[in-house]
Amino acid sequence: MNYAGQLTRRDMLSAIKSEVSKGDKGEEVSSQVLLNMFANENDPFASQDLNTSGKELEDKTFLADVQWFKDLFLETENMSKAYVANPTEAADGVAGRIERGTSGKFILVNEKGWEYTQFIEKGLMGAVFLHQIYNTYLTDNRIGNDVENTDMVEGKNYTPLEHHWDEAFGYYGAPADFPRDDDDKYWAKYAGPALGTTPEQLDIYGALEDAFITGRAAIAAGDMAIKNEQRDALYKQLELAAAAASLHYINNAKADLSANDMGSLFHHLSEAYNFTMALKYHPQKKISQNDIDAILNTDYGTDGDFWTVSVTSLNDAMAKLIAAYPELDNVKDIL
Amino acid sequence: MKYSQYIFIIILSGILNACDNSGGEVVNFDRQAMLTNYAENIIVPGYQVYQQEVANLETVVNTFTSTPDADNLNAVREVFKDTYLSWQRVSFYEFGPAMDQLLRTSTNSFPADFISIDNNIASGDYNLESLSNNDAKGLPAIDYLLYGIAEGEIAIVNEYVNSENSRQYLIDVIADMKARIDAVVTEWTSGEYSEDFISRDGTDVGSGLSMLVNTYNQHFERFTRDAKIGIPLGIRSSGIPIPNNVEALYSGISLQLTLANVRAIYQMYWGQSPVLSQDGIGIHDYLEALDVQFNGSTLSEEIDQRYSAAIDLLETIPPPLQTAVTDHQTAVEAAYNALQVLVVLNKVDAASAMGVTITYADNDGD
């Protein structure tokens, strides 16, 4: 199996996250550095391997969202510089830093309470990783029945079809042995270890594990029917993971509201926001775009202003998600 | 035990509660009867008393804002204290309808952010539903508005004579409180949340018992032990007291409120209704039925003694609390430690004995 390109891009996202989180620490963040990392220009990474990899995140990002992320990079720089010049505590309509509970951990948020570290990391997880799985690697172009599956890729021991399947797996984030632990990164983490449910209660991670493995074996055996079934399972379960992660963070947010912990509230809502937004990348998503927009622009606060959320509005968001993903109904309060 | 004058009604029904999937022992105990007692005799009546007090407060505030004078101010202050006390008796049921209304956060986030209150009044432009106004409204705000907005009674009355914005702010704060408690009571009664709560008679997450145990433990830990006593004492500030963080800073009734809160939680533990003057099935009875042992006695006996001890120690602190945290630290520390012992007994020993998982944790995970 070879998914080096995907691993490289995962490392690039980690590097971007580290740079952005300097803002949370009260330091200045450079949008130029972020833009360079995004496009892999001007040797922006500490790792020479990344710099010379010939890979980048920008050209794999959902095209309509590229400018959104570049704007986030610039706003992060502006906010971080404003903070350094005049350290401010975040307030309604005022960007600044805010503590998560009494943990000693601070986050930098904009005037709506948006934590850009989460908006950028979780946002790119959707706009790059999930988008590529859905709209490149699992499409007929890459793993359709007609894709070459007999001759090996030159110099390798896998066929193009096998390789594309592996690349989809590479964007998922699990190690090849599906350990269900800290080594599960990105979507693999949110399909399993990060959720509040046990595998007995909900096992998206297990379903994805089965689909990836069974599909891979089917491809090796030349069984296109089973491969297509597993492909369908991957589409379905990855979508469910985004919905489940949204519900998980909504539950966290409700607890934060009850505890009057605004910092944790903004951190968790920032995650919920981006997991919900990621639902849009699925080419046949079960939830309507209208509902996604309503959740983002009303339920998560008026115009997405986290200072205006309420338990009622979050319950409305949950209701929309459960209506689209009824499989999650019986675990919605434990996620 | 001080409550022997109450009629002692215990119904040990013949309904066998066989092995719960949560691992409780096989006991003769009717959890549903316990939940029924809680919902119908303790929680709903408690909310209704508080609701009535808020309605009374609205009435006297209307009189005061129409005719601001010393007599009317005092009338408001009296009802305010009763309202604050009745709140202490229901503040820990932060689940279901209360959670939906963010009742505790909206009603009692202290210390009051007097800077925001002053700014809101000055501009006349505010949205009390915004989360940023959590500590600029509710009972702590009223505490400030009635006792702290100016120096001395005459100046306070004058504030309301002269400033329409101040009068309006007082009215708006109470309207927010009233809307929320009305919604909570409606949900419990005609909204049938009572039936829903009673029907969830397991011990799993989402059961009535689990919600009750989790919320009163979280409340006791973060609000009773920490917010009311520990934080003003200096527990979170390397031992340096923060007197201005006490509850009811301006009216000075902090200790009365804390005592009312602890007593109410103690009564809830016994299954006694503070409103209806009757005893019923409570957590105490469940622990007795489970026959949980603790250090040569029963856990229920131990918890009983610890509540009494904590209440005694709170009563020996010379009021007001904002002075006691600097001038009588030993007494306040003793009370704090007594509360801490109860936190452990309830959160660790009692919860696990009942098969209830404590699900709240200090937020740290990503």
Side-chain angles (χ1 to χ4, degrees), chain A residues 130-185:
Chain A
L130 199 58
H131 159 58
Q132 286 299 323
I133 295 176
Y134 282 156
N135 300 316
T136 302
Y137 291 100
L138 293 185
T139 61
D140 281 342
N141 247 354
R142 300 295 172 102
I143 60 156
N145 295 348
D146 298 333
V147 173
E148 177 57 54
N149 193 29
T150 314
D151 295 338
M152 300 293 157
V153 173
E154 186 162 333
K156 307 290 181 189
N157 64 345
Y158 44 76
T159 67
L161 207 165
E162 286 171 340
H163 184 47
H164 297 149
W165 188 266
D166 294 339
E167 288 178 296
F169 173 73
Y171 271 128
Y172 170 55
D177 61 346
F178 293 96
R180 281 186 206 265
D181 62 19
D182 285 344
D183 289 332
D184 287 304
K185 306 291 183 195

Side-chain angles (χ1 to χ4, degrees), chain B residues 35-50:
Chain B
L35 293 177
T36 305
N37 181 42
Y38 275 125
E40 294 179 359
N41 300 329
I42 300 179
I43 297 174
V44 173
Y47 275 141
Q48 286 170 328
V49 168
Y50 170 65

Side-chain angles (χ1 to χ4, degrees), chain B residues 93-113:
Chain B
Y93 301 121
E94 190 76 2
F95 59 88
M99 167 102 171
D100 288 347
Q101 288 298 323
L102 279 186
L103 194 63
R104 180 178 51 209
T105 310
S106 303
T107 305
N108 200 23
S109 285
F110 60 90
D113 177 359

Side-chain angles (χ1 to χ4, degrees), chain B residues 262-335:
Chain B
V262 176
R263 287 197 177 105
I265 296 174
Y266 186 21
Q267 285 174 302
M268 179 277 296
Y269 162 75
W270 268 88
Q272 290 169 355
S273 170
V275 172
L276 300 179
S277 295
Q278 70 190 37
D279 196 359
I281 311 175
I283 287 168
H284 171 268
D285 302 293
Y286 194 18
L287 291 175
E288 289 269 292
L290 288 165
D291 196 25
V292 190
Q293 300 301 307
F294 189 91
N295 278 358
S297 158
T298 62
L299 179 61
S300 51
E301 178 63 31
E302 178 73 16
I303 292 178
D304 189 25
Q305 286 185 7
R306 293 299 182 168
Y307 269 116
S308 292
I311 289 171
D312 285 345
L313 286 166
L314 282 165
E315 283 173 337
T316 60
I317 302 172
L321 184 62
Q322 61 256 45
T323 316
V325 292
T326 44
D327 296 354
H328 302 283
Q329 281 188 349
T330 314
V332 182
E333 263 166 31

Side-chain angles (χ1 to χ4, degrees), chain A residues 21 202 239 274 308:
Chain A
S21 47
L202 179 73
E239 187 182 6
N274 284 280
T308 63

